[in-house]
Amino acid sequence: MINSLRIIDNLPFVKIKVKYKDKEILLSNVLVDTGSGGTIIKSDVAKKIGIKPEPEDIIGSIRGVGGQEFVFIKKLDSLELGNMIVKNMEVDIGEMDYGFKIDGIIGMGFLLKAKAIIDLENFI
């Protein structure tokens, strides 16, 4: 399956599937961000499949255009974007209160591991 890019406010968005402890969720509004090193998932949607902070989690912080926020790090069973699957992917989980609807950000860590090719001419 090939995932189609959708351009919203001149930004590229995709759908991803997140699998964690035998549960999965489809996230519809995920920004593709080649300027971001990591991948982050909004905590509200992560909770729906049991991803929540636990005492052994590593706490970190991220900084971007929207400012700085604290996150906790989780290892997913897999993260899927179209036909690209990365297993045992570490992602940040955070509030992501950026003033617009967004479920997550796919960064270069995933894109490099998945050997992604972004085709803006054909929006795939």
Side-chain angles (χ1 to χ4, degrees):
M1 173 180 101
I2 294 186
N3 198 311
S4 296
L5 284 170
R6 296 176 337 275
I7 303 298
I8 302 170
D9 294 327
N10 283 327
L11 296 172
F13 284 83
V14 294
K15 294 179 182 180
I16 64 169
K17 186 185 292 183
V18 174
K19 293 185 179 181
Y20 179 75
K21 294 187 177 179
D22 298 322
K23 294 181 181 178
E24 64 182 57
I25 190 167
L26 181 67
L27 306 181
S28 297
N29 293 305
V30 180
L31 176 67
V32 177
D33 186 356
T34 60
S36 176
T39 293
I40 182 170
I41 297 172
K42 186 173 183 128
S43 59
D44 288 347
V45 295
K47 284 180 196 172
K48 293 177 182 179
I49 59 169
I51 299 174
K52 60 184 189 291
E54 297 174 294
E56 65 273 7
D57 290 338
I58 297 172
I59 304 297
S61 67
I62 59 169
R63 180 183 306 268
V65 175
Q68 182 175 354
E69 74 175 287
F70 290 99
V71 296
F72 62 96
I73 300 168
K74 284 290 187 185
K75 186 179 281 192
L76 304 176
D77 296 339
S78 67
L79 193 140
E80 301 177 19
L81 194 167
N83 58 0
M84 297 174 284
I85 301 171
V86 175
K87 295 184 179 197
N88 300 314
M89 176 87 191
E90 282 192 352
V91 299
D92 298 329
I93 309 294
E95 289 299 313
M96 298 187 70
D97 186 14
Y98 303 152
F100 59 97
K101 185 169 172 39
I102 186 169
D103 296 327
I105 297 172
I106 291 285
M108 286 299 291
F110 175 86
L111 297 171
L112 289 169
K113 287 178 183 175
K115 299 180 179 157
I117 297 172
I118 300 171
D119 182 347
L120 295 175
E121 182 178 3
N122 295 302
F123 290 100
I124 56 173

